[in-house]
Amino acid sequence: MDITTNITLNNGKTMPILGLGVFQSAEQTYNAIRCALDAGYRHIDTASLYGNEEQVGKAVRDSGIPRNEIFVTTKLWNTEQRSHKQKEAFWASMQRLNIDYIDLYLLHWPVPEAFRESWSVLEELCDGKNLKSIGVSNFLKHHIDELMESARIKPAVDQVEVHPYNTKANLRQYLKEHGIACEALSPLGRDNKQLITDPAIAAIGEKYGKSVAQVILRWDVQNGIITIPKSVHAERILQNSQIFDFELSAEEMQKIEALNRNQLHEDPETFCNFF
């Protein structure tokens, strides 16, 4: 396993197991992506909500790396789901990104009154030319069960908040059983100082000469979880990629799993009531 390692999705497409998230990267997005691509990353995760799709597209184009070697994800926001403007939102993202196609397009949240309709639109858009794969984000088991009652295409990915304080073991097992790749958003816990300084993880890191963040990201990839740590700092972007030169033992993996607190930053059951 190394930075080029891919996960094979249920539609036969492949997706790099490590990527760069650009949530709240703002005007630093372009430089962060160029730095990540120089470091060997080949997977960039954005969303229409983030307001930086233009910078993502420009960084991909300017990199000189063949388009088919870079995996780009973006997402459909809740407002466009509720207003029945899903197709318009997709094409607006395509225009802002200004790239030939989108590798993965996600429903950003399970808007209760709209996600089934939105999924049907994504199925129409997923033509293999402009859009390669479709998936969901922040969906729990019951959301996927409901979606699959009428879906023609199974989600390729569920991007959810997963980290050692919120391991989502049951959901991960469900996704595995149904052939849906699990992707960790906020893999280091969003602004979670307790997690990033956790003494149990720090002790494991000391053994390997690695930081807490590197141990957490290694735990992700050893579990087969796609992970997209966000940073705009060149040194941190590089450090986050240096997780393939050591391997956690089964006991260490279990110790990290046991840190679970079901600690959520945003709850999929209530988030869509407000946004």
Side-chain angles (χ1 to χ4, degrees), residues 43 47-48 90 164 262:
H43 171 188
S48 60
F90 172 78
N262 295 321

Side-chain angles (χ1 to χ4, degrees), residues 61-182:
R61 295 192 308 274
D62 289 354
S63 70
I65 298 168
R67 172 68 188 90
N68 63 2
E69 294 182 14
I70 303 176
F71 193 100
V72 178
T73 300
T74 192
K75 310 177 189 78
L76 174 67
W77 183 237
N78 303 344
T79 305
E80 285 71 32
Q81 291 195 56
R82 292 192 175 97
S83 63
H84 313 288
K85 293 183 178 178
Q86 299 96 333
K87 285 185 180 179
E88 292 90 335
F90 172 78
W91 291 112
S93 285
M94 280 284 289
Q95 184 174 27
R96 287 189 293 267
L97 286 162
N98 192 20
I99 53 180
D100 294 337
Y101 57 88
I102 291 169
D103 293 279
L104 177 64
Y105 196 51
L106 305 178
L107 297 185
H108 207 149
W109 287 90
V111 179
E113 71 275 21
F115 72 76
R116 291 168 299 281
E117 173 195 319
S118 297
W119 187 253
S120 178
V121 175
L122 264 60
E123 289 178 325
E124 291 179 37
L125 290 166
C126 192
D127 60 1
K129 179 182 178 183
N130 298 296
L131 176 58
K132 303 294 185 179
S133 302
I134 54 177
V136 295
S137 181
N138 299 295
F139 274 52
L140 303 178
K141 176 182 178 296
H142 72 90
H143 297 126
I144 297 175
D145 283 341
E146 185 175 346
L147 184 71
M148 290 309 299
E149 290 175 2
S150 57
R152 291 186 298 105
I153 300 175
K154 182 186 292 187
V157 172
D158 187 10
Q159 185 184 109
V160 289
E161 183 182 345
V162 174
H163 49 71
Y165 285 180
N166 184 37
T167 60
K168 281 195 170 68
N170 290 337
L171 178 61
R172 284 162 45 207
Q173 182 60 33
Y174 169 86
L175 295 174
K176 183 177 180 179
E177 290 171 357
H178 288 77
I180 301 170
C182 181

Side-chain angles (χ1 to χ4, degrees), residues 161-174 176 182 195 198 200-201 204 215-225 248-263:
E161 183 182 345
V162 174
H163 49 71
Y165 285 180
N166 184 37
T167 60
K168 281 195 170 68
N170 290 337
L171 178 61
R172 284 162 45 207
Q173 182 60 33
Y174 169 86
K176 183 177 180 179
C182 181
L195 174 60
D198 185 279
I201 304 176
I204 295 172
V215 172
I216 293 171
L217 297 175
R218 180 67 202 188
W219 175 80
D220 280 331
V221 299
Q222 273 190 227
N223 274 314
I225 300 170
L248 300 171
S249 69
E251 181 183 5
E252 289 163 344
M253 292 288 287
Q254 291 167 1
K255 281 183 179 179
I256 295 171
E257 192 83 29
L259 296 172
N260 180 54
R261 304 177 181 182
N262 295 321
Q263 188 177 91

